[in-house]
Amino acid sequence: MSITGIKGMNDILPGEVEAWQFLESSARRVFAAFGYREIRVPVVEKTELFCRSIGETTDIVEKEMYTFADKGGTSMTMRPEGTAPVIRAFIEHKLHTLDPVSKLYYLGPMFRHERPQKGRYRQFHQIGAEVIGLDDPKIDAQVLAMLSHFFATVGIDGVTLQINSLGCPECRPAYRQALLDFLQARLGQLCADCQRRAATNPLRALDCKVPGCIEATAGAPAVIEHLCTGCDLHFEAVRSHLTELEVPYTVNPRMVRGLDYYTKTTFEMVTDRLGAQSAVAAGGRYDRLVADLGGPPLPGIGFAMGEERLALLLGARDDASPRPALFIATLGVEAERFGFRLLTRLQRQGIYAEMEYAGKSLKAQLRRADKLGARRVLILGGDELARGIAQLRDMAAGTQEEVPLTELDARLGLVVCD
Ligand code: ATP
Ligand code: MG
């Protein structure tokens, strides 16, 4: 029996990978213009990093992490998200001593043990960005401007930016209490998870996807009605900067996000085109995280986009299969030798060229050229070689002409060398 891949972990095949490359190169270009530099961190970290940052009572830490003991007995976890490892690296390498503001981006696989379905996998990929060292609301607006600009650049429409504020350690406790009182009065209507969450992490109940819980919490108090003056002003300023920068958004007072480290501004890019998997990108401010992980008291803000969901929204791209500029068809040993050398010269000069390697008939070679979508075919036979010419066929026009071998380089756009 053959060995198959692991459920929820996908291969990205040629034909699909082009959309990924397009998304990644677009992200790199957009992020660079906003001053971000790439950081690469390992896919495995000490489990403690995620427990302390994401929060012990979140779904991710409670049930979704791939955690194992390594041979030395240390508890390791396959990263479920990118922010915590990036902040860990930021602190470890004291990046704030090099520059008071760090703008970093990352891309790569993340791992969560979730129930696989369309747009939800166990190994998935994120493209994310973080700004550490600034708490000015202009930065929140700029991060959101960059995120919406990315969507415009890659041509994904039908996504809406939703924003909210989760307050800070000053205003959160009073809100938490108000929410707790609300939930206690409706405990019977909540699912078992939310009954438990009501005591440990009541905000999570607002994130629950169970219909009964959504109904029961419909009239729940909103965080933005309980913000302290500082958080309120910050949120106001973010909103007015978004308007200045002409970034459309709506306020979603129910959005709480699935990670505990968020403070103040939180946001999601949502779509109704992916069924239950409505969030394509998500993030927020985390003004306590750097200090909580043992670093200096620096504020931060960031987001992550799910690449699988982006790729689903992007759909198939027509430039999916690269077409050879030239296919070389040969007949006979001499012609094949000549053709093979020419092929390699073309490839060395960055021109995508192909030939048939297995000595097939001319008809079979032309069929192969057609299948690959070659733009032109160079036909080299023993006779042609002897006459010092080759036939150059234009596949789209259906025309064919004789080209002297001495003019071949110039005709094929090769840099002439001996
Ligand atoms: P969801 O509500 O869909 O579970 P989330 O709040 O858990 O998302 P985040 O942790 O904020 O998501 O991750 C940011 C983005 O990463 C999401 O918006 C989504 O596009 C993507 N993502 C998260 N989990 C998965 C997954 N299991 N498979 C594919 N993409 C995912
Ligand atoms: Mg999730």
Side-chain angles (χ1 to χ4, degrees), residues 23 39 58 69 82 114 141 165 194 209 356 379:
L23 290 165
I39 181 166
T58 55
E114 302 200 66
S165 175
C194 282
K209 308 282 190 307
E356 178 64 63
I379 303 167

Side-chain angles (χ1 to χ4, degrees), residues 8 59-60 64 80-81 106 110-127 207 209 257-259 261-262 267-269 274 276-283 303-310:
D59 277 0
I60 296 179
E64 296 171 1
E81 60 106 49
Y106 59 86
M110 307 293 160
F111 304 84
R112 296 184 197 175
H113 196 277
E114 302 200 66
R115 195 170 64 78
Q117 52 195 292
K118 185 182 170 194
R120 190 174 295 284
Y121 309 101
R122 292 180 172 176
Q123 173 173 331
F124 61 100
H125 299 75
Q126 287 185 337
I127 304 178
D207 203 25
K209 308 282 190 307
R257 310 286 306 108
L259 301 91
Y261 52 64
Y262 288 120
F267 50 89
E268 284 186 354
M269 278 282 187
L274 293 178
Q277 278 54 255
S278 60
V280 194
F303 65 81
M305 308 188 273
E307 247 182 303
E308 281 77 3
R309 295 184 196 178
L310 289 172

